[in-house]
């Protein structure tokens, strides 16, 4: 792959010769494949050969890339395919958040960090997972519903919409849209889209996003800022700007030397920041920093227990899910939804169940009709694979109608 000349000149200088050489060499190797298990749906035996990612309790590197689409457990939300560097968020949250909080993931689609975040936050925490782009918000919604935690609300809004509310969060994650240099190895499109102008545009847009959301962070609350790019304009310089202009202190977490995480690459600024570089770290590229907003206004955050009610007070917040999926009403019939099936709040006794073979589970996910074993009650039946709910069918006896959502279905078996 040919890297843009200006990128090469700037980044080789930034990294230094040895790190740059390892980075270039990393393009000769496949991206390591990693997954994060959903702690409420998975047990330890799903990937017996997997190797733990040391900075994430449920993170594992796989020896090869399985055919995820062909695995019903993937569709059941038992695990999420997630790049190892992103999993560092689990480590950060466990170090810095120890009580139930109200949290906001501002730029959340497709949902990797949101689903991780809810798993990493203490019991009782509530998360608003937000995405500005409608198409991406639908993908976010699907991933959040499949992971099934009722403590996640999904919204589709611009950052500045939140500043029109009285919602104050204890923790905000801003995983900002960026120039994507850290994705070059796995995504050639990111190389095509790169330009110095786009780096400048992204750096300014990141500041705008941060300015817009800053009033919604509690005084003393935490901002986790991340990008998947390497340059200092979008990283250290923005972190320094947040600290100095918006008013925050930069926090550190202890990391082990063998994780090979790189710190600040500005020669005159040595605050704790965390950079993952392919070839040096066993991952794709990522940058993360943790900031604590200085005390002042907004001393009180929105109570996690009241977040759902508070969010619903603002009609301009487009709430795509309140975390408590409901049946759909068709005429006079209440049809249980796939989101209900996949929710962790689903109770064992709510519906009769039918366990499917691998073949039938894939046919179900492909939205084909099924024939359930004789003796299965008629009416709505929850179908499962290896004991994990996949969705509903309506059993008519000689056949069962498939109620899996069209837009979630596997296109090709
Ligand atoms: N956090 C996500 C995850 O882990 O799956 C990845 C987020 S991606 C790096 C950045 C997201 O920011 C994209 O989904 C993009 O649509 C969204 N975005 C783009 N422009 C934005 C803006 N002006 N304000 C807020 N979000 C924006």
């Amino acid at each position: 792959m040919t890297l843009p000349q200006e990128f090469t000149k700037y980044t080789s200088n930034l990294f230094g010769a040895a790190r740059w050489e390892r980075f270039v060499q990393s393009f000769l190797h496949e991206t390591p494949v990693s997954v994060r298990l959903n702690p409420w749906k998975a047990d330890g035996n799903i990937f017996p050969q997997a190797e733990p990612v040391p900075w994430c309790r449920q993170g594992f590197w796989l020896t090869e890339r399985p055919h995820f689409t062909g695995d019903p457990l993937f569709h059941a939300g038992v695990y999420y395919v997630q790049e190892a560097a992103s999993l560092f968020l689990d480590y950060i949250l466990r170090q810095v958040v120890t009580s139930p909080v109200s949290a906001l993931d501002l730029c959340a689609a497709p949902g990797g960090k949101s689903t991780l975040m809810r798993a990493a936050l203490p019991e009782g925490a509530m998360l608003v997972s937000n995405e500005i782009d409608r198409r991406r918000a639908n993908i976010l919604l699907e991933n959040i519903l499949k992971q099934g935690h009722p403590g996640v609300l999904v919204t589709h809004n611009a950052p500045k919409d939140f500043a029109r509310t009285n919602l104050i969060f204890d923790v905000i994650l801003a995983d900002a849209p960026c120039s994507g240099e850290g994705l070059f190895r796995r995504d050639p499109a990111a190389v095509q889209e790169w330009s110095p102008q786009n780096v400048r545009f992204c750096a300014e847009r990141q500041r705008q996003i941060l300015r817009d959301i800053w009033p919604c962070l509690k005084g003393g609350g935490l901002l986790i800022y991340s990008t998947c790019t390497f340059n200092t304009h979008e990283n250290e310089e923005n972190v320094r700007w947040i600290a100095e202009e918006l008013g925050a202190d930069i926090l550190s977490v202890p990391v082990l030397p063998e994780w090979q995480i790189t710190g600040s690459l500005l020669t005159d600024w040595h605050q704790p920041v965390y950079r993952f570089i392919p070839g040096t770290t066993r991952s794709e590229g990522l940058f993360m920093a943790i900031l604590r907003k200085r005390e002042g206004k907004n001393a009180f955050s929105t109570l996690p227990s009241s977040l759902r009610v508070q969010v619903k007070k603002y009609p301009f917040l487009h709430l795509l899910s309140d975390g408590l999926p409901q049946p759909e009403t068709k005429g006079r019939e209440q049809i249980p939804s796939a989101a209900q099936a996949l929710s962790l709040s689903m109770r064992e006794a709510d519906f009769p169940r039918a366990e499917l073979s691998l073949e039938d589970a894939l046919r179900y996910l492909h939205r084909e009709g099924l024939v359930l074993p004789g003796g299965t009650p008629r009416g709505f039946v929850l179908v499962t694979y290896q004991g994990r709910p996949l969705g509903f069918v309506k059993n008519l006896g000689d056949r069962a109608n498939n109620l899996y959502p069209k837009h979630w279905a596997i296109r090709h078996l």
Side-chain angles (χ1 to χ4, degrees):
M1 179 184 307
T2 316
L3 296 171
Q5 239 178 16
E6 276 147 306
F7 167 79
T8 300
K9 191 168 160 215
Y10 173 91
T11 313
S12 56
N13 189 34
L14 182 71
F15 283 2
R19 217 181 263 125
W20 175 255
E21 186 50 33
R22 289 196 297 271
F23 174 67
V24 171
Q25 290 298 317
S26 77
F27 282 77
L28 303 174
H29 307 287
E30 291 272 305
T31 301
V33 183
S34 47
V35 294
R36 182 179 44 79
L37 304 184
N38 179 343
W40 294 283
K41 293 194 177 190
D43 57 39
N45 300 324
I46 306 235
F47 298 104
Q49 308 298 324
E51 182 188 344
V53 175
W55 48 80
C56 176
R57 284 166 303 179
Q58 280 97 21
F60 295 90
W61 280 296
L62 306 186
T63 45
E64 57 187 20
R65 174 171 280 274
H67 181 233
F68 291 117
T69 311
D71 180 6
L73 295 181
F74 171 67
H75 301 273
V78 174
Y79 61 91
Y80 192 94
V81 183
Q82 193 161 16
E83 213 289 297
S86 299
L87 301 178
F88 188 58
L89 181 62
D90 182 64
Y91 181 77
I92 291 185
L93 289 171
R94 281 187 288 128
Q95 299 286 318
V96 297
V97 182
T98 50
S99 57
V101 286
S102 294
L104 170 66
D105 181 1
L106 185 60
C107 313
K113 296 198 186 62
S114 270
T115 51
L116 177 154
M117 218 169 155
R118 189 54 202 82
L121 291 173
E123 190 58 40
M126 286 290 287
L127 173 67
V128 175
S129 178
N130 178 70
E131 169 58 41
I132 192 170
D133 178 281
R134 179 69 219 212
R135 192 186 57 82
R136 291 176 62 84
N138 284 336
I139 299 168
L140 171 69
L141 178 66
E142 177 179 341
N143 286 328
I144 297 285
L145 293 176
K146 285 182 173 174
Q147 295 272 311
H149 199 291
V152 187
L153 284 71
V154 181
T155 57
H156 158 50
N157 278 89
K160 64 178 180 337
D161 295 337
F162 287 93
R164 292 167 60 202
T165 70
N166 289 326
L167 298 170
I168 303 293
F169 296 92
D170 304 286
V171 179
I172 295 180
L173 169 67
D175 186 31
C178 69
S179 60
E181 294 160 357
L183 305 178
F184 281 1
R185 173 165 60 164
R186 75 160 191 228
D187 182 8
V191 181
Q192 299 307 317
E193 283 161 23
W194 187 92
S195 69
Q197 297 86 312
N198 195 36
V199 169
R200 279 197 295 279
F201 169 79
C202 288
E204 187 38 54
R205 178 170 61 182
Q206 287 146 1
R207 288 189 187 193
Q208 191 57 50
I209 290 172
L210 293 161
R211 250 185 234 113
D212 286 345
I213 205 61
W214 196 247
C216 301
L217 182 61
K218 176 186 163 174
L222 298 172
L223 172 77
I224 299 171
Y225 175 71
S226 60
T227 72
C228 52
T229 209
F230 300 125
N231 69 76
T232 61
H233 312 302
E234 297 176 69
N235 293 326
E236 283 89 338
E237 289 169 37
N238 273 353
V239 172
R240 182 151 71 176
W241 174 84
I242 301 168
E244 291 173 2
E245 298 298 319
L246 299 179
D249 300 312
I250 301 163
L251 305 188
S252 68
V253 289
V255 294
L256 295 180
E258 59 265 32
W259 296 354
Q260 299 286 351
I261 297 172
T262 305
S264 172
L265 292 176
L266 277 186
T267 44
D268 61 341
W269 193 79
H270 298 289
Q271 293 291 331
V273 294
Y274 305 91
R275 197 187 250 91
F276 290 67
I277 302 176
T280 296
T281 325
R282 191 171 166 192
S283 69
E284 299 306 284
L286 184 91
F287 175 92
M288 267 191 191
I290 316 154
L291 297 109
R292 191 192 297 285
K293 184 174 181 174
R294 296 209 185 99
E295 299 287 349
K297 278 204 300 189
N298 295 345
F300 300 105
S301 54
T302 310
L303 284 176
S305 55
S306 76
L307 192 61
R308 187 175 281 122
V309 174
Q310 296 299 320
V311 166
K312 287 182 178 173
K313 280 190 358 197
Y314 301 101
F316 56 86
L317 288 185
H318 306 297
L319 186 62
L320 304 183
S321 166
D322 70 356
L324 302 173
Q326 299 298 318
E328 287 148 22
T329 308
K330 271 203 185 144
R332 274 188 285 166
E333 202 173 28
Q334 295 270 300
I335 303 184
S337 62
Q340 275 179 289
L342 293 157
S343 171
L344 298 171
S345 59
M346 175 86 202
R347 286 175 313 188
E348 283 284 322
D350 284 349
F351 292 93
R353 294 180 170 223
E355 171 72 9
L356 302 181
S357 63
L358 173 62
E359 202 185 14
D360 276 348
L362 289 174
R363 289 180 51 219
Y364 174 71
L365 295 167
H366 194 231
R367 289 195 89 241
E368 294 175 32
L370 297 177
V371 178
L372 298 181
T376 309
R378 288 175 186 237
F380 297 115
V381 174
L382 181 74
V383 291
T384 61
Y385 174 71
Q386 294 188 0
R388 274 72 162 210
L390 294 176
F392 285 102
V393 293
K394 188 170 184 184
N395 189 23
L396 307 175
D398 55 344
R399 67 190 162 88
N401 288 343
N402 193 321
L403 300 178
Y404 197 64
K406 252 192 208 126
H407 52 288
W408 290 6
I410 301 178
R411 298 240 168 83
H412 308 286
L413 273 189

